[in-house]
Amino acid sequence: MDRIFSGVQPSGNLHLGNYLGAIRNFVRLQDQYECIYCVVDLHAITVWQNPEDLRHNTRELTAAFIAAGLDPSKNVIMNQSQNPHHAELAWIFNCVARLGWLNRMTQFKEKAGKNRENASVGLYAYPNLMAADILAYKATHVPVGEDQKQHLELCRDIAQKFNNDFGVDLFPIVEPLILGPATRVMSLRDGSSKMSKSDPSDNSRINLTDGPDAIAQKIRRARTDPEPLPSEADGLDGRPEAANLVGIYAALADGQVATVLQEFGGSLFSEFKNALTDIAVAKLGPIGEEMQRLMAEPAYIDSVLADGGARARALSEPVMAEVFDTVGLVRG
Ligand code: TYM
């Protein structure tokens, strides 16, 4: 049976890219598949996290999942550290994946920066844990933004090598689901870099917790070029900031880039930015408000995670039994 797994790091500053590239698609998929949505706290600690902030961000991300429309009774909503099978399987995958494969991961290179020697071992082995997240449930489909594509290719390689090494057909070869017109939302300050939680400029991103005034101000200040909007999509070539804002509008309006340009072709950015602000406030405002309401009920959020953790362990238990047996690890 088809099963969805996806995860988001509770590293704070949850933004429009996370929403349009991932969380919104999670909500759409919940009616078609059995879904497990995970707050990947073990991934977050591959770089330093203040413990109090980590607790807060874990609850806030859970609140965002629910506020965006995920139903905790229909889906498994959990945090990674409540199911030890993720870390256990990740160790086995540390012994399957090759150094050469991990050396090719562009996200490690970006995150480790110039001071590679000082990066945590966890940051390096990060994609193996990600493969374990997915394969501990034999998930078949993984909705993500475009930046996770390379990690999912590694997940496929690990599944294939495990199956070949042991002569089994245990793990599925997962399919990425990269959906919608905003699979790579760019920074509002620089159309050539991705909107990211770790950008030091808060003006580079719209956070899901931003109120209407902050959203309006960030869109007003967003970088653009001096030309009016084109009437057709190829007119966006070489105009990364314009392409980004149009893509965001299309995604928020549930439409296509071409239709947005039919409506706004020839308009000045000042006019388009007003329309973009209106739709962003209309779509994101209620999510931010609901997140705030849920954050006032931490006991409820914790109960969702505890329940999700228990259901998740029950789903991965038979897979782990199969893995232990296949590898030759004796279980009493
Ligand atoms: P993370 O926490 O960086 O991002 C969560 C999701 O948001 C997407 N995303 C974006 N989409 C469009 N535009 C952007 N600017 C943008 N920034 C982020 C990401 O692609 C992702 O889907 N390694 C993962 C978390 C993870 C995971 C997993 C995902 C751990 N285990 C298993 C899928 C399956 C990560 O760091 O996502």
Side-chain angles (χ1 to χ4, degrees), residues 39-322:
V39 177
V40 290
D41 46 10
L42 299 177
H43 275 110
I45 61 169
T46 57
V47 299
W48 169 251
Q49 302 291 328
N50 173 291
E52 271 317 309
D53 292 347
L54 180 61
R55 259 186 286 276
H56 175 270
N57 292 335
T58 298
R59 293 186 177 120
E60 188 174 80
L61 177 52
T62 310
F65 280 172
I66 301 169
L70 287 180
D71 178 350
S73 62
K74 205 186 282 180
N75 309 283
V76 171
I77 295 180
M78 56 159 325
N79 58 317
Q80 197 179 22
S81 57
Q82 291 209 47
N83 184 356
H85 295 151
H86 293 237
E88 254 179 318
L89 186 57
W91 180 259
I92 293 175
F93 289 167
N94 284 344
C95 306
V96 173
R98 306 289 93 183
L99 282 177
W101 299 0
L102 290 174
N103 284 340
R104 283 197 288 275
M105 295 296 114
T106 52
Q107 210 158 77
F108 173 74
K109 290 181 201 161
E110 279 161 24
K111 286 200 178 172
K114 291 199 179 78
N115 199 357
R116 257 175 99 156
E117 296 290 311
N118 200 34
S120 73
V121 175
L123 189 66
Y124 186 72
Y126 177 115
N128 295 345
L129 176 60
M130 185 162 155
D133 295 338
I134 300 163
L135 296 176
Y137 304 97
K138 294 193 180 179
T140 52
H141 295 77
V142 184
V144 283
E146 213 175 88
D147 61 343
Q148 295 301 316
K149 212 168 151 186
Q150 195 186 33
H151 287 157
L152 292 182
E153 277 159 17
L154 187 90
C155 175
R156 292 164 67 105
D157 290 342
I158 289 175
Q160 213 136 36
K161 181 162 165 54
F162 183 99
N163 288 349
N164 284 344
D165 286 353
F166 293 100
V168 290
D169 191 18
L170 203 160
F171 289 122
I173 308 303
V174 299
E175 286 296 334
L177 297 175
I178 299 176
L179 307 167
T183 56
R184 187 174 174 81
V185 177
M186 306 308 279
S187 156
L188 298 180
R189 307 297 300 164
D190 172 6
S192 66
S193 67
K194 197 179 66 174
M195 185 177 284
S196 137
K197 294 170 187 159
S198 54
D199 193 315
S201 163
D202 195 55
N203 282 326
S204 68
R205 63 183 161 261
I206 294 174
N207 300 306
L208 291 190
T209 49
D210 284 342
D213 293 345
I215 294 176
Q217 199 181 62
K218 287 175 179 181
I219 293 177
R220 212 177 314 118
R221 288 189 183 162
R223 190 162 149 187
T224 49
D225 57 42
E227 302 297 318
L229 283 169
S231 303
E232 286 176 18
D234 52 13
L236 292 170
D237 291 350
R239 299 178 65 185
E241 283 87 12
N244 189 36
L245 295 184
V246 171
I248 291 173
Y249 188 101
L252 287 171
D254 268 333
Q256 304 292 331
V257 165
T259 5
V260 177
L261 293 178
Q262 267 165 25
E263 190 182 344
F264 289 99
S267 301
L268 296 174
F269 273 106
S270 50
E271 189 187 327
F272 179 65
K273 280 180 167 182
N274 286 338
L276 182 57
T277 301
D278 288 346
I279 196 164
V281 169
K283 297 281 175 168
L284 303 179
I287 298 177
E289 281 165 27
E290 180 64 3
M291 278 171 74
Q292 245 178 22
R293 195 189 67 72
L294 289 164
M295 283 303 279
E297 291 182 58
Y300 167 68
I301 293 182
D302 290 1
S303 74
V304 167
L305 292 175
D307 174 63
R311 284 159 61 199
R313 289 192 295 276
L315 291 174
S316 55
E317 178 53 41
V319 180
M320 291 309 285
E322 228 184 317

